[in-house]
Structure formats: structure tokens, C-alpha cells
Amino acid sequence: MAQDVESSQDRKMAQLLSDEITSRSGGKVKIVKDASEDPDCYTMIVHVNPSLAGDYYARTTGDDGMVLEARGRATMIWLIHQALSYIGETNSVLNVLDLPPCSVDIEGEEMEDFAFRYRDAYLPSNQDHDHSMRLGMNNVSEDWGIWGHNLGIVLPDKEDERPYARIDGKVHPEQFCFSSDYLYRCVEEYIENTLGDGSELQYRIAIFPNDNATVCQCTACKRLGNTPRNATPAVSEFIKKIAKRFPNHIFFTSSYITTKTMPVTPFPKNVGVLISTMDYQMRPGANEYISQKIYEWRKFTPRIYIWDYINDFDNYISPIPILRDMQMRLRTYLDLGVLGVFLNGSGYEYSSFQEMNTSIFAALMMKPWLDLSDIVEGWLHRNMPTHASQIQNYFRVIDKKHLSSGKPLPMYGSAKDALRDYLDYDATKALFRELNRHGSRLGEILHQDRPKAAVEKEKALTERLRRELAYTLIEACRAQGYSDEWNNLPEYIECLKRVETKEEMTILLGGREPKNDETDFVTEGGIHLSDYIPQCEEWINEKRWDSNLLLGEHLTVTRGNNDGNLERQSVKMLTDGAEGFAMNYQWGWYVAPQKGFAVTVPPTEGTYIRAQFLNLPRHKISPPAKVVFTSGGKKYEMKMEPHMEGGTIIYSAEGDFSKGGTLKVTNPGGTRDLAVDEIIVW
């Protein structure tokens, strides 16, 4: 194998190629510097060409070599690894297990421009800088001097009140005052001392308010135009001033919560905007809202980036059909002239199929016109070949249901939302059965003719998918209420209880060693599988639903609506047997308004009534002030049992309930919601 070099930059890239081949082949491939030394060698020509018409160019020269050209160093690094992936697909001498399948038409001839100049996915496999380069991706820790809602890093003293917002004379340290001269000096000094003036190394710098709805109402900010819900005027003036001070850096404001209102005048050329799609959500296809937003912002800056979302942040465990949905959105963004895309995902924590998704997002942000089925198939056949076709068929089923629903993928969703919008219970169960068929013998039946590392990776990914499907099936069973399907719950919970080894965690995180429990997260809020499993196991073992005389009854709930009027709902989930679990409002809870509600309970032969409530202050959910059950003209004030933060609170009473009655839950003057489940009568 030979290298043909023309410049110092080319020599560096040729050395990278040589080192990668040596490393990936274990030194089994002979490298020569001149093709004349070995007429039978395979020749690879690499050339960094700043005047290239496209971002990259690739072609084979028959069976004896290939030519790789790129406009810049970063693109060449990506292109080299694409070429190695292509070679390794048919020549096992190269270990390319960590690389995505090649998406470049090297066998033919391809010159392309990337669809977006900035491409980033906030997932575990894109947290390592070197691997980001192999993927052709940007990385927030490398490419931004200040990223997201992290402006507070510039403050030398967090206790100093000068940079913070003021409302009615009161300091609000959760938000900034963008008219503060002190805040400006802190930002200026941080850039000077930490990032430099941008003449040697240019950074992107985010000037965002903190992630809340507070807006400074000091005299200076109000004079600029701030209102209680609009911080755009003060933020815009601040960013114009700092951009003028550092013309070699690129600054970004946000279009999010308090900065969704447009500025009044155009921004300088080194200022752009990151438009959040939070209001747009993960809806299939083009959307009028985001198109209008981009059109409006284009009047003030051509430098438009999109901040999109790729996870259900209340459920990192279950597979979701995000890929085709995102491909359609990327095509829309390309048509609208968007320059950069940041895909906000699970960050450093594992989420279902994160490595596959990272690999495919990287390809689609370069070329959203690729055949999605082909690149998914390529990744699965490289990494999970034993069950590749079954897994791909599963994604086709849930993808089809999602697209036909016309609904957005939930960003903070429950199992009921999933069943309604995309999850197919029967298909999920069938895939689980296929993966579970070999049980503890899984490692024995995988492709043993493949390298050990490939087999170990496939085993880790397959075992993890079994756990994910087990969790998905448990929550789907609970969301649908008591049925014969619950007979399968013990099998599901046993599968879910399996814990990954450190080596398996490293594989799941894309090769990065775990620092703590990054593969155990269920939600972005820090709720873990280890929080869920003991509660679920206790619920399955106790089977309190067997004794509930109300099991399967539709109870009438009377509650206030947003207009202040009373409304009545027929609710089954309060008696469906699926008790709510502590710490997470998505685990089977009926969330009710702040001031209370009443539940009509039908007559039974029971003498004991029990109602369970959630105590979760960080999500503004607290227990009621009082729970009273009225039956046959007699009032039973239900007693509250001891509880803990994030736990469940049980209210109970004993009496003659043969005439039924009304369970009244009150929370006078309450500012927090209530969450109830399950109501049991014995």
C-alpha cells in the first residue's frame, strides 16, 4: 500500500492514513512510501486542496487504488476513515468496528458539498474529539468557547449581585441583566484571557439567557425595550457590542423562551441565531412554524443554526423511530438555507441505539438525501448481524405507525403516549422473544467466525436491547391496564435486572469508559433503572391488584379545567392495577390540578380504602392537604402514612363502603399539582 504526497499538509494526512492502517491491521499491512517499490501495491493518494470545487472528492482507480481529496484538514480526516471503513467492509485485515459504514460512493466517483457547515449530535458517541473527527462531526466542548446556557462560567464571583436580573428592585440570581456593565466586562475578560481575540483560533460563543422565563426589568433593560416576557432587546444590544469588540469570533443569540421575539435591527456579520424547535417538536415532515421562524430571522442574520431534539427525555430506555423523522426535518432545513444543526440528545448518558443514531445522524447532516434504509442496514449488519433483519423490520413497523399518526414524537412522554403515537406492542414482544430465544447461550450462537471484539460488541448491544425491550413491554403492559399479558411480567423483570459489566458499558458508550452509571439513566432528570427495578419487582410480587374490588372500574373524576369550570372525566387508570411508582410522574400517575378533585367510587363489599399520591416537589407535585372519603352520609378522614422526598404517600381509611361514595382531595391555596394512583378497596 503506497502513499503519494504533495505538500506538508498532505504528508501529515498520509502519515495519519499510514498510522491508522498499521494500527487497525495490527501491523499486518506493509506500507511503502513510493509505489515503484512494489508494483503490486494498492495506491492511496491523499490531497488537501483548498480550491476544490466541493468539500470532498473520492474515486477508485480500478482495482489498484483510490484518490481522496478534501478542501480542509477536518474533512480529510473524515474521508480517510470513510475509505478505511469501505476497505474494511470486505477485507477483515482492517478492524473498522468503531467506524460507521462508508456513505461515500468510492467505487464510482463522488464530489459533494456538505448540506450543513456545522453538524453536532449531543450523544455519548460524539463526546470524544478524535471520534468526532472520524465521524465528521462538530463537538460543543471543542468548537464553542461558551456553549448553551453556560454564560455563568465567565463570573469570577457567583455571589456578586451585579450581573443578575432585577424585578421590582429584587435581585433574581437565576437570570442575567444584559444591561449590566459588570456582566459585559466579565464576558470581555473571559474571552480575552481564555479564548483569545480570535485572530489565531476562532470560536463560536453563545450569549444566551439562562434556561428559564425570568426577564430583567431594571430601568436600563426596560429602556431598551424589555418586557416581562421578552429579553430580546437587552440581549441583542449586548451581543452587538461584544461582537464588535471581538470581530474574529462568531457570536450566537437564541430563539427560545424569552428571546423568541425578533430584534429590531440586523445583526453584525459575525452574529447568528440558534433557533430552538421546542415549540415545533418532533413532528413528521415540514412545519409551517419553523419555516416562518427561519424566514423571519433571515431578515436579521444569514447565520442560522437549528437546535433540534432527538430523544424522549423522560425515557432514554425505549427505542424510538427518530431517524426518518429527522431525515425529513434535515431536508426541510437544507431547503430553508440553514447553515448548522445541533441535535440535543442524551449527552453523556446512554440512550437506546445511541451509537447507531450518532453514526446515521453524522451521515444525514452531511447528505440528507441518502437512502436511510441502506445506512441503517449497513450499521446493523456490521454491529448486530445475527438479528439485523429483525431489528430493521421492527423499526419499519414503529416508523410506519409514527408517520401515519401525524403526531410529534413526545419529548417528555409516557408509555401511553408511545402506544398512541408509535409503539407497536405485538412487534415489540416479537422482537423480545427473538432476542430472548437463546437466553444465557447468546454468546455461543453469535457469529463465532468473526473477530472476538466484534462478537463481544454484538453481545453487549443485543443484551442491552433485550433489557430495553423488557422495560418497554413492562411499561406498555402497565399503560394498557390489567390483562393476561401481565403473566409475562416476571420474565420481563428478570431480564431487566441484568446489569452491564464495565466492559459492556464501554461498548454501549461508543468506546468511552464509564465515569459512573451513564448506562443506568431512564430520564434526563437523573432517574435510574436502579430506582425503577425494586419498585417494579415489589409491585409484581405483591399483586395488590388481585385484591382490589375496583379493578377495571371506570371512575368519574370531577376537577376544575383551565377556564375555571368543573369537568368530569371517566378514568380507568386509577383502578387498572398498575400502581404509580415513586420518583417519576410518568410511571403510572394521574396528574390533577392544584386545588383538588373528587372521585366517585361505586358500591363494593370492601371495608378498607387506600389511595396513593406522589411527592415530587422538583416537578411541582406535592401531596394533598386533606383526603376525605364520604360514604352513606359518613365522612372518613383518611390518614396519611409516613413518606419521603420523591416517594409515594398512602392515605387510608376503614369503614362500611357498601354504598360507595366520594373521595375528595383538597389542596386549598395550593400552587403544586397533585398526582394520584392507585385507588384500592379491599
Side-chain angles (χ1 to χ4, degrees), residues 323-607:
L323 294 175
R324 191 168 304 281
D325 192 23
M326 180 52 65
Q327 182 180 41
M328 289 190 291
R329 279 184 276 160
L330 289 172
R331 289 173 176 174
T332 298
Y333 302 152
L334 178 62
D335 290 343
L336 293 169
V338 168
L339 297 183
V341 179
F342 169 74
L343 302 180
N344 191 20
S346 59
Y348 288 87
E349 283 77 54
Y350 176 84
S351 55
S352 180
F353 281 97
Q354 73 83 21
E355 185 183 2
M356 180 181 81
N357 290 347
T358 304
S359 167
I360 292 171
F361 289 143
L364 292 179
M365 283 192 281
M366 291 178 176
K367 298 184 281 186
W369 50 84
L370 287 171
D371 187 308
L372 181 59
S373 295
D374 284 350
I375 52 178
V376 171
E377 181 180 5
W379 191 92
L380 289 172
H381 277 282
R382 174 173 293 185
N383 294 280
M384 304 178 75
T386 306
H387 300 102
S389 60
Q390 293 95 330
I391 295 169
Q392 188 162 20
N393 285 337
Y394 175 71
F395 274 109
R396 287 193 185 104
V397 170
I398 62 174
D399 208 34
K400 182 178 179 181
K401 181 173 179 179
H402 166 51
L403 293 174
S404 64
S405 77
K407 294 181 179 295
L409 285 170
M411 287 178 60
Y412 294 92
S414 65
K416 284 185 182 292
D417 296 327
L419 284 164
R420 180 195 65 209
D421 297 342
Y422 67 88
L423 182 64
D424 186 294
Y425 180 82
D426 290 337
T428 305
K429 183 179 175 182
L431 181 57
F432 176 80
R433 287 275 174 261
E434 174 61 30
L435 300 184
N436 215 38
R437 188 157 53 94
H438 304 284
S440 60
R441 294 183 58 251
L442 178 64
E444 299 173 25
I445 59 92
L446 295 179
H447 289 229
Q448 296 297 335
D449 58 333
R450 299 164 66 220
K452 181 181 177 181
V455 174
E456 289 302 312
K457 181 173 185 180
E458 182 176 9
K459 182 181 177 183
L461 293 172
T462 304
E463 291 283 15
R464 177 63 189 201
L465 181 55
R466 288 174 63 212
R467 293 187 77 203
E468 293 170 2
L469 296 176
Y471 174 85
T472 304
L473 288 166
I474 293 171
E475 281 300 286
C477 280
R478 285 164 45 79
Q480 295 174 100
Y482 178 77
S483 74
D484 290 343
E485 285 294 318
W486 286 23
N487 293 327
N488 298 309
L489 290 173
E491 178 187 9
Y492 300 153
I493 192 66
E494 282 304 310
C495 180
L496 189 60
K497 285 163 63 177
R498 182 189 184 278
V499 178
E500 284 92 14
T501 65
K502 185 177 180 181
E503 290 74 22
E504 288 173 329
M505 290 182 193
T506 300
I507 290 170
L508 294 173
L509 294 169
R512 179 174 57 82
E513 284 195 17
K515 296 180 180 178
N516 44 52
D517 52 3
E518 292 112 325
T519 64
D520 193 48
F521 279 73
V522 176
T523 76
E524 70 170 353
I527 299 169
H528 298 79
L529 278 173
S530 54
D531 299 319
Y532 178 87
I533 291 170
Q535 296 185 79
C536 190
E537 194 169 22
E538 189 267 347
W539 166 71
I540 291 171
N541 291 336
E542 290 295 322
K543 295 184 179 179
R544 280 181 283 266
W545 65 80
D546 276 348
S547 305
N548 189 4
L549 298 174
L550 297 177
L551 182 66
E553 293 280 352
H554 285 73
L555 303 185
T556 300
V557 177
T558 304
R559 52 184 282 180
N561 60 25
N562 293 333
D563 299 325
N565 300 315
L566 291 178
E567 64 178 14
R568 287 177 174 80
Q569 298 178 342
S570 178
V571 179
K572 185 181 177 182
M573 71 178 297
L574 297 177
T575 56
D576 61 2
E579 296 176 20
F581 293 163
M583 303 185 73
N584 188 352
Y585 65 95
Q586 298 286 24
W587 284 341
W589 294 95
Y590 174 82
V591 180
Q594 299 164 353
K595 294 189 177 180
F597 58 93
V599 181
T600 302
V601 178
T604 68
E605 296 302 316
T607 58

Side-chain angles (χ1 to χ4, degrees), residues 144 208 239 250-256 259-263 267 270-276 293-294 296-298 300-307 338-340:
W144 293 76
F208 293 1
I239 203 168
I250 303 171
F251 295 84
F252 283 84
T253 186
S254 61
S255 177
Y256 177 69
T259 53
K260 288 190 283 189
T261 302
M262 301 293 149
F267 283 140
N270 64 327
V271 174
V273 62
L274 252 168
I275 301 175
S276 166
K293 271 287 181 185
I294 292 169
E296 291 173 359
W297 271 104
R298 195 166 299 288
F300 302 97
T301 176
R303 201 182 294 274
I304 294 175
Y305 286 14
I306 292 290
W307 180 317
V338 168
L339 297 183

Side-chain angles (χ1 to χ4, degrees), residues 55-126:
D55 279 316
Y56 69 90
Y57 171 75
R59 67 179 174 87
T60 54
T61 56
D63 296 329
D64 60 351
M66 69 173 65
V67 176
L68 305 175
E69 287 192 66
R71 194 181 283 159
R73 171 183 172 274
T75 302
M76 179 55 79
I77 292 173
W78 163 79
L79 188 57
I80 284 172
H81 288 93
Q82 285 282 291
L84 294 175
S85 181
Y86 165 78
I87 295 169
E89 191 67 42
T90 56
N91 191 333
S92 60
V93 72
L94 292 185
N95 177 6
V96 294
L97 200 61
D98 63 315
L99 299 180
C102 180
S103 59
V104 175
D105 183 14
I106 293 178
E107 289 184 5
E109 183 175 11
E110 181 170 295
M111 179 180 290
E112 294 280 6
D113 274 319
F114 296 141
F116 303 103
R117 310 319 301 168
Y118 184 86
R119 306 174 300 277
D120 194 349
Y122 192 49
L123 289 167
S125 285
N126 195 40

